[in-house]
Protein backbone atom coordinates (compact mmCIF):
# COMPACT_ATOMS: atom_id res chain seq x y z
CA UNK A 1 0.00 0.00 0.00
CA UNK A 2 1.33 3.41 -0.95
CA UNK A 3 0.65 6.19 1.56
CA UNK A 4 -0.91 9.12 -0.25
CA UNK A 5 0.23 11.49 2.50
CA UNK A 6 3.90 10.73 2.02
CA UNK A 7 4.56 14.04 0.31
CA UNK A 8 2.20 16.19 2.34
CA UNK A 9 3.68 19.67 2.77
CA UNK A 10 6.78 18.57 0.88
CA UNK A 11 8.18 19.90 -2.36
CA UNK A 12 9.69 18.04 -5.31
CA UNK A 13 12.08 19.51 -7.85
CA UNK A 14 13.09 17.69 -11.03
CA UNK A 15 15.81 18.92 -13.35
CA UNK A 16 15.61 17.55 -16.86
CA UNK A 17 18.32 16.96 -19.44
CA UNK A 18 18.01 15.74 -23.01
CA UNK A 19 15.27 14.91 -25.42
CA UNK A 20 11.49 15.25 -25.55
CA UNK A 21 11.23 11.70 -24.23
CA UNK A 22 12.90 12.86 -21.00
CA UNK A 23 10.72 15.98 -20.81
CA UNK A 24 7.71 13.67 -21.06
CA UNK A 25 9.14 11.33 -18.42
CA UNK A 26 9.63 14.28 -16.06
CA UNK A 27 5.98 15.22 -16.47
CA UNK A 28 5.06 11.62 -15.66
CA UNK A 29 7.25 11.70 -12.52
CA UNK A 30 5.64 14.93 -11.30
CA UNK A 31 2.16 13.48 -11.87
CA UNK A 32 3.03 10.26 -10.01
CA UNK A 33 4.55 12.22 -7.12
CA UNK A 34 1.55 14.52 -6.93
CA UNK A 35 -0.45 11.37 -6.22
CA UNK A 36 1.67 11.14 -3.03
CA UNK A 37 0.83 14.77 -2.31
CA UNK A 38 4.24 16.18 -3.26
CA UNK A 39 4.01 19.74 -4.60
CA UNK A 40 6.25 20.71 -7.51
CA UNK A 41 8.59 23.59 -6.62
CA UNK A 42 10.50 25.77 -9.04
CA UNK A 43 13.88 25.80 -7.26
CA UNK A 44 15.91 23.03 -5.69
CA UNK A 45 16.39 24.92 -2.39
CA UNK A 46 12.64 24.67 -1.69
CA UNK A 47 12.53 20.92 -2.31
CA UNK A 48 12.45 17.93 0.03
CA UNK A 49 12.93 15.58 -2.90
CA UNK A 50 15.23 16.33 -5.85
CA UNK A 51 15.43 14.22 -8.98
CA UNK A 52 17.95 14.65 -11.79
CA UNK A 53 16.41 13.21 -14.97
CA UNK A 54 19.63 12.52 -16.85
CA UNK A 55 20.59 12.13 -20.51
CA UNK A 56 23.40 10.03 -22.07
CA UNK A 57 23.33 11.69 -25.44
CA UNK A 58 25.20 14.85 -24.54
CA UNK A 59 28.92 15.20 -23.76
CA UNK A 60 30.22 13.89 -20.42
CA UNK A 61 26.82 12.76 -19.12
CA UNK A 62 28.08 11.12 -15.92
CA UNK A 63 30.18 14.17 -15.14
CA UNK A 64 27.05 16.35 -15.48
CA UNK A 65 25.20 14.22 -12.93
CA UNK A 66 28.17 14.46 -10.52
CA UNK A 67 28.34 18.21 -10.85
CA UNK A 68 24.60 18.82 -10.49
CA UNK A 69 24.25 16.57 -7.44
CA UNK A 70 27.43 18.14 -6.00
CA UNK A 71 25.71 21.53 -6.06
CA UNK A 72 23.18 20.22 -3.54
CA UNK A 73 25.80 19.38 -0.90
CA UNK A 74 25.12 22.44 1.27
CA UNK A 75 21.38 21.93 0.90
CA UNK A 76 21.69 18.37 2.14
CA UNK A 77 23.65 19.57 5.19
CA UNK A 78 20.96 22.18 5.92
CA UNK A 79 18.09 19.71 5.34
CA UNK A 80 19.19 16.23 6.41
CA UNK A 81 15.80 14.80 5.38
CA UNK A 82 16.36 15.91 1.76
CA UNK A 83 16.41 12.95 -0.65
CA UNK A 84 18.24 13.13 -3.97
CA UNK A 85 17.74 10.66 -6.84
CA UNK A 86 18.88 10.22 -10.43
CA UNK A 87 16.59 8.85 -13.14
CA UNK A 88 16.83 8.66 -16.92
CA UNK A 89 19.47 7.25 -19.23
CA UNK A 90 22.59 7.76 -17.08
CA UNK A 91 20.80 6.00 -14.20
CA UNK A 92 19.92 3.12 -16.52
CA UNK A 93 23.47 2.90 -17.79
CA UNK A 94 25.39 3.26 -14.52
CA UNK A 95 22.91 1.63 -12.09
CA UNK A 96 24.34 1.09 -8.60
CA UNK A 97 27.76 2.36 -9.65
CA UNK A 98 26.26 5.86 -9.47
CA UNK A 99 25.43 5.39 -5.80
CA UNK A 100 29.02 4.38 -5.15
CA UNK A 101 30.50 7.25 -7.13
CA UNK A 102 28.12 9.96 -5.90
CA UNK A 103 27.71 9.48 -2.13
CA UNK A 104 25.14 12.30 -1.84
CA UNK A 105 22.67 10.22 -3.85
CA UNK A 106 19.84 8.34 -2.13
CA UNK A 107 18.29 6.55 -5.07
CA UNK A 108 18.80 5.60 -8.69
CA UNK A 109 16.00 4.47 -11.00
CA UNK A 110 16.15 3.46 -14.64
CA UNK A 111 13.98 4.30 -17.63
CA UNK A 112 11.71 1.29 -17.04
CA UNK A 113 11.22 2.11 -13.33
CA UNK A 114 9.45 5.47 -13.61
CA UNK A 115 6.06 4.00 -12.71
CA UNK A 116 7.60 2.49 -9.59
CA UNK A 117 8.66 5.94 -8.38
CA UNK A 118 5.95 6.21 -5.66
CA UNK A 119 7.05 2.83 -4.26
CA UNK A 120 10.73 3.73 -4.52
CA UNK A 121 10.13 6.98 -2.60
CA UNK A 122 8.04 5.16 -0.01
CA UNK A 123 10.73 2.49 0.50
CA UNK A 124 13.33 5.19 0.77
CA UNK A 125 11.42 6.99 3.51
CA UNK A 126 10.52 3.79 5.37
CA UNK A 127 13.90 2.10 5.41
CA UNK A 128 16.21 5.06 5.09
CA UNK A 129 18.37 2.79 2.89
CA UNK A 130 19.62 3.70 -0.54
CA UNK A 131 17.48 2.27 -3.36
CA UNK A 132 18.43 1.14 -6.89
CA UNK A 133 15.81 0.10 -9.45
CA UNK A 134 17.24 -0.16 -12.93
CA UNK A 135 16.16 -3.45 -14.51
CA UNK A 136 14.67 -3.51 -17.98
CA UNK A 137 11.17 -4.98 -18.00
CA UNK A 138 11.31 -6.43 -21.53
CA UNK A 139 8.77 -9.13 -20.83
CA UNK A 140 6.16 -6.70 -19.50
CA UNK A 141 3.65 -5.22 -21.95
CA UNK A 142 4.06 -1.50 -22.53
CA UNK A 143 0.78 -0.20 -21.11
CA UNK A 144 1.18 3.35 -19.89
CA UNK A 145 -1.52 5.94 -19.96
CA UNK A 146 -0.35 9.50 -20.71
CA UNK A 147 0.15 11.25 -17.38
CA UNK A 148 0.31 14.98 -17.73
CA UNK A 149 -0.78 17.59 -15.21
CA UNK A 150 -1.81 20.44 -17.51
CA UNK A 151 -1.86 19.10 -21.05
CA UNK A 152 -2.71 22.47 -22.63
CA UNK A 153 -3.60 22.61 -26.28
CA UNK A 154 -0.84 20.33 -27.54
CA UNK A 155 0.75 17.40 -25.78
CA UNK A 156 3.01 14.39 -26.32
CA UNK A 157 1.83 10.77 -26.29
CA UNK A 158 4.35 7.95 -26.07
CA UNK A 159 3.54 5.17 -28.51
CA UNK A 160 6.74 3.14 -28.47
CA UNK A 161 9.61 2.72 -26.10
CA UNK A 162 13.18 1.61 -26.75
CA UNK A 163 14.83 0.74 -30.04
CA UNK A 164 16.09 -2.40 -31.78
CA UNK A 165 18.10 -0.71 -34.50
CA UNK A 166 21.51 -0.44 -32.85
CA UNK A 167 22.87 2.35 -34.99
CA UNK A 168 26.57 2.18 -34.25
CA UNK A 169 26.72 5.71 -32.77
CA UNK A 170 23.63 5.53 -30.55
CA UNK A 171 23.29 4.66 -26.89
CA UNK A 172 19.46 4.51 -26.87
CA UNK A 173 19.10 0.70 -27.23
CA UNK A 174 21.28 0.41 -24.10
CA UNK A 175 19.47 3.06 -22.07
CA UNK A 176 15.87 2.54 -23.21
CA UNK A 177 15.95 -1.19 -23.94
CA UNK A 178 14.22 -3.23 -26.65
CA UNK A 179 11.40 -1.71 -28.61
CA UNK A 180 7.86 -2.14 -27.31
CA UNK A 181 4.60 -0.64 -28.57
CA UNK A 182 1.44 0.39 -26.75
CA UNK A 183 -1.73 -1.37 -27.95
CA UNK A 184 -3.73 0.57 -30.52
CA UNK A 185 -6.96 0.38 -28.48
CA UNK A 186 -5.18 1.95 -25.47
CA UNK A 187 -3.86 4.77 -27.65
CA UNK A 188 -7.30 5.52 -29.08
CA UNK A 189 -8.71 5.74 -25.55
CA UNK A 190 -5.76 7.80 -24.31
CA UNK A 191 -6.12 10.35 -27.12
CA UNK A 192 -9.90 10.47 -26.62
CA UNK A 193 -9.37 11.20 -22.90
CA UNK A 194 -6.89 13.96 -23.76
CA UNK A 195 -9.38 15.61 -26.14
CA UNK A 196 -11.89 15.66 -23.26
CA UNK A 197 -9.29 17.68 -21.32
CA UNK A 198 -9.08 20.25 -24.12
CA UNK A 199 -6.13 18.84 -26.09
CA UNK A 200 -6.34 19.69 -29.81
CA UNK A 201 -3.01 18.30 -30.99
CA UNK A 202 -0.98 15.24 -30.06
CA UNK A 203 2.59 14.46 -31.05
CA UNK A 204 3.14 10.71 -31.10
CA UNK A 205 6.49 9.99 -29.55
CA UNK A 206 8.94 7.12 -29.90
CA UNK A 207 12.57 6.48 -30.84
CA UNK A 208 11.37 4.99 -34.11
CA UNK A 209 7.62 5.60 -34.35
CA UNK A 210 7.14 4.00 -37.73
CA UNK A 211 8.21 0.57 -36.59
CA UNK A 212 5.20 0.71 -34.23
CA UNK A 213 3.36 -2.62 -34.11
CA UNK A 214 0.28 -3.04 -31.92
CA UNK A 215 -0.43 -6.39 -30.29
CA UNK A 216 -3.42 -6.60 -32.71
CA UNK A 217 -0.96 -6.37 -35.63
CA UNK A 218 -1.73 -2.75 -36.64
CA UNK A 219 1.25 -0.83 -38.00
CA UNK A 220 2.03 2.88 -37.67
CA UNK A 221 0.07 3.87 -40.80
CA UNK A 222 -2.98 2.02 -39.45
CA UNK A 223 -2.58 3.67 -36.04
CA UNK A 224 -2.47 7.10 -37.69
CA UNK A 225 -5.54 6.29 -39.78
CA UNK A 226 -7.46 5.08 -36.71
CA UNK A 227 -6.53 8.16 -34.67
CA UNK A 228 -7.54 10.47 -37.52
CA UNK A 229 -10.82 8.65 -38.24
CA UNK A 230 -11.98 7.42 -34.83
CA UNK A 231 -11.04 10.20 -32.39
CA UNK A 232 -11.98 13.89 -32.31
CA UNK A 233 -8.33 15.00 -32.10
CA UNK A 234 -7.77 17.90 -34.50
CA UNK A 235 -4.05 17.61 -35.25
CA UNK A 236 -1.60 14.70 -35.20
CA UNK A 237 2.19 14.97 -35.38
CA UNK A 238 4.89 12.38 -34.76
CA UNK A 239 8.58 12.12 -34.03
CA UNK A 240 10.99 10.47 -34.71
CA UNK A 241 10.68 8.35 -37.81
CA UNK A 242 13.30 6.11 -39.37
CA UNK A 243 13.83 6.39 -43.13
CA UNK A 244 14.11 2.62 -43.60
CA UNK A 245 10.57 2.13 -42.22
CA UNK A 246 8.97 5.11 -43.97
CA UNK A 247 6.81 3.62 -46.70
CA UNK A 248 4.21 4.62 -49.26
CA UNK A 249 1.34 3.27 -47.15
CA UNK A 250 2.18 5.77 -44.40
CA UNK A 251 2.57 8.71 -46.79
CA UNK A 252 -0.75 7.83 -48.46
CA UNK A 253 -2.52 7.79 -45.08
CA UNK A 254 -0.93 11.16 -44.25
CA UNK A 255 -2.12 12.62 -47.54
CA UNK A 256 -5.61 11.13 -47.17
CA UNK A 257 -5.95 12.66 -43.67
CA UNK A 258 -4.03 15.84 -44.32
CA UNK A 259 -6.76 17.82 -42.56
CA UNK A 260 -5.64 16.16 -39.31
CA UNK A 261 -2.16 14.70 -39.87
CA UNK A 262 0.31 17.56 -40.13
CA UNK A 263 2.46 17.91 -43.22
CA UNK A 264 5.79 18.07 -41.46
CA UNK A 265 8.14 15.09 -41.49
CA UNK A 266 11.38 14.80 -39.56
CA UNK A 267 13.38 12.15 -41.41
CA UNK A 268 16.86 11.77 -39.88
CA UNK A 269 19.39 10.98 -42.60
CA UNK A 270 22.59 11.25 -40.47
CA UNK A 271 24.92 11.17 -43.51
CA UNK A 272 24.68 11.69 -47.26
CA UNK A 273 27.22 8.97 -48.06
CA UNK A 274 26.21 5.31 -48.48
CA UNK A 275 29.46 3.88 -47.04
CA UNK A 276 29.14 6.01 -43.90
CA UNK A 277 25.46 5.02 -43.64
CA UNK A 278 26.49 1.36 -43.80
CA UNK A 279 29.04 1.90 -41.02
CA UNK A 280 26.34 3.65 -39.03
CA UNK A 281 24.07 0.59 -39.56
CA UNK A 282 21.25 2.80 -40.78
CA UNK A 283 19.71 0.28 -43.18
CA UNK A 284 19.42 2.53 -46.27
CA UNK A 285 21.68 4.07 -48.89
CA UNK A 286 21.90 7.69 -50.01
CA UNK A 287 19.96 6.80 -53.16
CA UNK A 288 17.20 4.97 -51.26
CA UNK A 289 16.85 7.89 -48.86
CA UNK A 290 16.59 10.43 -51.69
CA UNK A 291 13.97 8.25 -53.41
CA UNK A 292 11.90 8.19 -50.20
CA UNK A 293 12.15 11.94 -49.71
CA UNK A 294 11.02 12.49 -53.31
CA UNK A 295 8.19 9.98 -52.91
CA UNK A 296 6.97 11.90 -49.82
CA UNK A 297 6.99 15.22 -51.67
CA UNK A 298 5.29 13.72 -54.73
CA UNK A 299 2.43 12.24 -52.69
CA UNK A 300 2.28 15.20 -50.26
CA UNK A 301 3.26 18.29 -52.25
CA UNK A 302 4.13 21.22 -49.99
CA UNK A 303 5.03 19.07 -46.98
CA UNK A 304 7.98 20.33 -44.91
CA UNK A 305 11.00 18.10 -44.28
CA UNK A 306 13.69 18.31 -41.62
CA UNK A 307 16.56 16.03 -40.67
CA UNK A 308 19.38 15.14 -38.27
CA UNK A 309 22.97 15.03 -39.53
CA UNK A 310 26.14 13.83 -37.81
CA UNK A 311 29.42 15.17 -39.19
CA UNK A 312 32.83 13.65 -38.56
CA UNK A 313 31.64 10.08 -37.97
CA UNK A 314 34.70 7.81 -37.45
CA UNK A 315 36.49 7.31 -40.74
CA UNK A 316 34.40 9.89 -42.62
CA UNK A 317 36.64 11.12 -45.46
CA UNK A 318 36.48 14.59 -46.96
CA UNK A 319 34.82 13.10 -50.04
CA UNK A 320 32.20 11.31 -47.94
CA UNK A 321 31.45 14.54 -46.09
CA UNK A 322 31.03 16.31 -49.46
CA UNK A 323 28.23 13.81 -50.19
CA UNK A 324 26.42 15.13 -47.12
CA UNK A 325 26.92 18.67 -48.41
CA UNK A 326 25.43 17.78 -51.82
CA UNK A 327 22.48 16.01 -50.17
CA UNK A 328 21.32 19.47 -49.13
CA UNK A 329 20.86 20.26 -52.83
CA UNK A 330 18.88 17.07 -53.42
CA UNK A 331 16.44 17.20 -50.47
CA UNK A 332 14.79 20.53 -49.58
CA UNK A 333 15.19 20.44 -45.79
CA UNK A 334 13.54 23.42 -44.15
CA UNK A 335 15.55 22.76 -41.02
CA UNK A 336 18.45 20.53 -40.01
CA UNK A 337 19.67 19.48 -36.58
CA UNK A 338 23.38 18.89 -37.05
CA UNK A 339 25.98 17.65 -34.59
CA UNK A 340 29.64 16.73 -34.41
CA UNK A 341 30.05 12.99 -33.83
CA UNK A 342 30.97 12.20 -30.25
CA UNK A 343 31.54 8.72 -28.83
CA UNK A 344 28.88 7.24 -26.56
CA UNK A 345 29.39 4.46 -24.02
CA UNK A 346 28.66 0.86 -25.13
CA UNK A 347 28.41 1.81 -28.81
CA UNK A 348 30.46 0.17 -31.56
CA UNK A 349 31.63 3.41 -33.17
CA UNK A 350 33.10 4.60 -29.87
CA UNK A 351 35.61 1.71 -30.06
CA UNK A 352 36.80 2.45 -33.60
CA UNK A 353 40.23 3.93 -33.94
CA UNK A 354 39.67 6.18 -36.93
CA UNK A 355 38.18 9.03 -34.89
CA UNK A 356 38.45 12.49 -36.43
CA UNK A 357 39.97 15.47 -34.68
CA UNK A 358 37.62 17.96 -33.04
CA UNK A 359 39.03 20.66 -35.30
CA UNK A 360 38.09 18.70 -38.42
CA UNK A 361 34.61 17.98 -37.08
CA UNK A 362 34.06 21.63 -36.17
CA UNK A 363 35.10 22.80 -39.65
CA UNK A 364 32.70 20.36 -41.31
CA UNK A 365 29.87 21.36 -39.00
CA UNK A 366 30.44 25.02 -39.69
CA UNK A 367 30.39 24.49 -43.47
CA UNK A 368 27.25 22.38 -43.31
CA UNK A 369 25.34 24.81 -41.13
CA UNK A 370 26.48 27.79 -43.15
CA UNK A 371 25.32 26.23 -46.41
CA UNK A 372 22.02 25.16 -44.91
CA UNK A 373 21.36 28.63 -43.51
CA UNK A 374 21.23 30.04 -47.04
CA UNK A 375 19.05 27.18 -48.28
CA UNK A 376 16.64 27.60 -45.37
CA UNK A 377 16.17 31.33 -46.08
CA UNK A 378 15.41 30.50 -49.74
CA UNK A 379 12.94 27.75 -48.81
CA UNK A 380 11.18 29.98 -46.27
CA UNK A 381 10.21 32.37 -49.08
CA UNK A 382 7.52 29.95 -50.18
CA UNK A 383 5.44 31.01 -47.17
CA UNK A 384 5.61 34.71 -48.02
CA UNK A 385 2.11 36.12 -48.76
CA UNK A 386 0.62 32.64 -48.27
CA UNK A 387 -2.13 31.63 -45.86
CA UNK A 388 -1.10 29.13 -43.20
CA UNK A 389 -3.32 27.32 -40.73
CA UNK A 390 -2.17 27.82 -37.12
CA UNK A 391 -3.30 26.17 -33.89
CA UNK A 392 -3.02 28.97 -31.33
CA UNK A 393 -1.04 27.86 -28.28
CA UNK A 394 -0.27 31.11 -26.44
CA UNK A 395 -1.58 34.64 -26.12
CA UNK A 396 0.39 37.46 -24.52
CA UNK A 397 -1.92 39.93 -22.73
CA UNK A 398 0.74 42.66 -22.73
CA UNK A 399 1.59 42.67 -26.41
CA UNK A 400 -1.70 41.30 -27.74
CA UNK A 401 0.32 38.77 -29.75
CA UNK A 402 -0.49 35.11 -30.17
CA UNK A 403 1.60 32.26 -31.44
CA UNK A 404 1.21 28.68 -32.51
CA UNK A 405 2.49 26.21 -35.09
CA UNK A 406 1.53 26.08 -38.73
CA UNK A 407 0.75 22.68 -40.23
CA UNK A 408 4.39 22.61 -41.45
CA UNK A 409 5.56 23.14 -37.87
CA UNK A 410 6.63 26.78 -38.22
CA UNK A 411 6.25 28.89 -35.10
CA UNK A 412 3.92 31.64 -36.29
CA UNK A 413 3.42 35.01 -34.53
CA UNK A 414 0.56 37.40 -35.15
CA UNK A 415 -1.58 40.06 -33.49
CA UNK A 416 -4.75 38.48 -32.14
CA UNK A 417 -7.71 38.74 -29.81
CA UNK A 418 -7.67 36.96 -26.49
CA UNK A 419 -9.63 33.71 -26.26
CA UNK A 420 -8.07 32.39 -29.45
CA UNK A 421 -5.95 29.84 -27.58
CA UNK A 422 -7.00 26.39 -28.72
CA UNK A 423 -8.54 27.68 -31.97
CA UNK A 424 -7.17 26.97 -35.41
CA UNK A 425 -6.96 30.20 -37.39
CA UNK A 426 -5.74 31.32 -40.81
CA UNK A 427 -2.76 33.68 -40.89
CA UNK A 428 -1.50 35.59 -43.92
CA UNK A 429 2.30 35.53 -43.77
CA UNK A 430 4.10 38.86 -44.12
CA UNK A 431 7.62 37.83 -43.07
CA UNK A 432 9.08 34.35 -43.41
CA UNK A 433 12.26 33.15 -41.69
CA UNK A 434 13.65 29.61 -41.53
CA UNK A 435 12.21 28.89 -38.08
CA UNK A 436 9.47 31.46 -37.63
CA UNK A 437 6.75 33.22 -39.56
CA UNK A 438 5.08 36.56 -38.85
CA UNK A 439 1.71 37.43 -40.26
CA UNK A 440 -1.78 38.83 -39.92
CA UNK A 441 -4.71 36.94 -38.57
CA UNK A 442 -7.44 36.58 -41.20
CA UNK A 443 -10.66 37.11 -39.22
S1 LIG B 1 17.07 4.27 -34.73
FE1 LIG B 1 17.40 6.13 -33.53
S2 LIG B 1 17.15 5.52 -31.39
FE2 LIG B 1 17.40 3.63 -32.58
S3 LIG B 1 19.59 3.16 -32.48
FE3 LIG B 1 19.27 4.37 -34.36
S4 LIG B 1 19.59 6.52 -33.77
FE4 LIG B 1 19.33 5.32 -31.86
Amino acid sequence: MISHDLGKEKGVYISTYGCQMNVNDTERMYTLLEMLNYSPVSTADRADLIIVNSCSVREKPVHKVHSEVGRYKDLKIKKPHLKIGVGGCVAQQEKKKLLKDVPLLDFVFGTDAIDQLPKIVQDLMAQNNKVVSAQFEHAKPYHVETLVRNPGVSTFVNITKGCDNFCTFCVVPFTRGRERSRPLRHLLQDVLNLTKRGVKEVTLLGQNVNSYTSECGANFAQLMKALASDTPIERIRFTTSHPKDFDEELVSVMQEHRDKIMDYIHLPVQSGNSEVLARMNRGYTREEYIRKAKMILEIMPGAALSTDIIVGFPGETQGQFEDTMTLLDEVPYESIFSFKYSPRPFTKAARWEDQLSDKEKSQRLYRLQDQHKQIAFELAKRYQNQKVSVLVEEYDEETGKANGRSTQNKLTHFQADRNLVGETVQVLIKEAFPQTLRGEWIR
Side-chain angles (χ1 to χ4, degrees):
M1 266 294 268
I2 304 282
S3 160
H4 293 279
D5 274 346
L6 208 62
K8 203 169 166 196
E9 292 171 12
K10 288 187 184 144
V12 52
Y13 174 80
I14 306 179
S15 74
T16 311
Y17 292 84
C19 65
Q20 187 56 49
M21 200 72 86
N22 263 19
V23 174
N24 238 25
D25 287 349
T26 290
E27 188 55 36
R28 191 169 189 83
M29 292 174 202
Y30 271 127
T31 314
L32 289 163
L33 291 167
E34 272 192 352
M35 291 174 191
L36 301 184
N37 247 316
Y38 275 94
S39 307
V41 292
S42 53
T43 51
D45 57 342
R46 293 167 54 209
D48 305 277
L49 176 65
I50 295 175
I51 295 173
V52 180
N53 191 7
S54 62
C55 167
S56 301
V57 171
R58 300 280 166 248
E59 298 271 4
K60 301 185 180 145
V62 181
H63 176 80
K64 285 213 169 106
V65 170
H66 279 251
S67 86
E68 169 144 9
V69 176
R71 287 203 295 275
Y72 303 135
K73 191 173 173 191
D74 291 346
L75 216 51
K76 188 112 176 164
I77 294 167
K78 254 195 259 166
K79 285 184 174 182
H81 70 279
L82 171 69
K83 301 290 181 199
I84 305 176
V86 173
C89 295
V90 175
Q92 187 64 54
Q93 175 188 309
E94 299 290 306
K95 302 185 180 67
K96 62 181 172 199
K97 186 169 181 297
L98 261 188
L99 280 187
K100 206 168 122 231
D101 296 350
V102 190
L104 279 180
L105 275 182
D106 298 289
F107 65 109
V108 171
F109 62 107
T111 49
D112 260 3
I114 294 168
D115 289 321
Q116 294 161 33
L117 192 54
K119 178 156 185 338
I120 292 170
V121 172
Q122 175 160 285
D123 290 352
L124 197 63
M125 302 301 177
Q127 303 156 6
N128 220 12
N129 281 336
K130 302 206 173 200
V131 176
V132 179
S133 180
Q135 294 307 309
F136 279 132
E137 306 275 358
H138 291 143
K140 270 199 188 163
Y142 181 37
H143 290 179
V144 292
E145 183 196 350
T146 300
L147 292 182
V148 49
R149 292 165 299 162
N150 303 305
V153 167
S154 179
T155 198
F156 289 86
V157 171
N158 284 82
I159 66 162
T160 65
K161 176 175 195 162
C163 184
D164 293 344
N165 285 316
F166 289 91
C167 299
T168 52
F169 55 82
C170 181
V171 71
V172 164
F174 305 97
T175 57
R176 295 269 168 180
R178 296 293 75 71
E179 184 179 288
R180 285 173 284 157
S181 300
R182 292 177 62 190
L184 178 127
R185 64 199 157 86
H186 288 196
L187 284 164
L188 291 178
Q189 187 61 49
D190 204 8
V191 170
L192 178 65
N193 293 345
L194 289 168
T195 61
K196 288 180 184 161
R197 295 175 69 194
V199 171
K200 306 288 167 121
E201 175 181 272
V202 288
T203 301
L204 309 179
L205 202 57
Q207 306 295 348
N208 179 10
V209 285
N210 45 6
S211 63
Y212 170 86
T213 314
S214 172
E215 60 188 19
C216 66
N219 64 16
F220 185 58
Q222 289 154 350
L223 167 69
M224 297 278 272
K225 195 178 176 72
L227 286 169
S229 315
D230 303 342
T231 76
I233 194 72
E234 291 177 18
R235 288 182 158 206
I236 304 166
R237 299 185 185 276
F238 58 88
T239 193
T240 294
S241 50
H242 196 303
K244 78 177 166 54
D245 300 316
F246 214 104
D247 59 15
E248 214 170 311
E249 182 192 7
L250 175 57
V251 190
S252 301
V253 166
M254 292 179 72
Q255 173 63 14
E256 189 189 335
H257 295 276
R258 212 159 164 178
D259 56 327
K260 285 193 165 193
I261 302 174
M262 299 296 93
D263 41 11
Y264 163 72
I265 297 158
H266 183 65
L267 200 63
V269 66
Q270 309 299 2
S271 166
N273 176 272
S274 296
E275 285 150 14
V276 175
L277 288 169
R279 275 164 69 84
M280 288 177 164
N281 193 31
R282 291 292 290 172
Y284 52 85
T285 63
R286 171 192 174 96
E287 291 70 29
E288 284 162 351
Y289 180 93
I290 292 173
R291 267 201 297 280
K292 286 210 178 174
K294 290 196 167 149
M295 178 267 289
I296 291 169
L297 295 177
E298 260 162 39
I299 298 177
M300 294 182 73
L305 295 179
S306 66
T307 200
D308 293 335
I309 295 176
I310 296 172
V311 300
F313 189 69
E316 182 190 69
T317 64
Q318 191 60 36
Q320 289 169 337
F321 169 68
E322 298 302 333
D323 283 347
T324 300
M325 293 291 287
T326 60
L327 186 73
L328 299 186
D329 302 325
E330 299 267 359
V331 182
Y333 297 119
E334 296 197 5
S335 48
I336 64 169
F337 302 87
S338 48
F339 310 90
K340 290 185 279 187
Y341 169 78
S342 75
R344 295 288 165 253
F346 311 117
T347 58
K348 272 193 182 171
R351 297 195 291 272
W352 294 340
E353 284 178 4
D354 45 0
Q355 306 284 331
L356 273 67
S357 70
D358 191 58
K359 188 172 165 219
E360 185 61 50
K361 289 190 271 191
S362 298
Q363 282 169 351
R364 290 182 189 182
L365 187 67
Y366 177 80
R367 266 191 67 204
L368 183 81
Q369 292 181 339
D370 191 50
Q371 175 158 327
H372 184 261
K373 205 187 289 172
Q374 296 162 34
I375 292 172
F377 269 98
E378 270 312 301
L379 290 174
K381 286 184 187 162
R382 76 174 173 120
Y383 296 105
Q384 194 81 33
N385 298 320
Q386 297 299 310
K387 271 194 288 182
V388 297
S389 167
V390 178
L391 170 63
V392 183
E393 293 184 38
E394 285 178 335
Y395 174 75
D396 184 331
E397 289 283 346
E398 267 180 36
T399 61
K401 282 193 175 152
N403 68 62
R405 301 220 161 241
S406 71
T407 59
Q408 293 101 342
N409 206 34
K410 298 279 182 202
L411 187 60
T412 308
H413 300 273
F414 55 100
Q415 207 72 32
D417 283 354
R418 62 172 61 83
N419 300 332
L420 271 194
V421 172
E423 300 290 319
T424 298
V425 299
Q426 300 298 308
V427 178
L428 180 64
I429 298 309
K430 295 294 179 186
E431 285 181 292
F433 305 100
Q435 303 307 328
T436 56
L437 304 174
R438 285 185 219 289
E440 287 170 5
W441 170 34
I442 306 171
R443 293 167 194 250

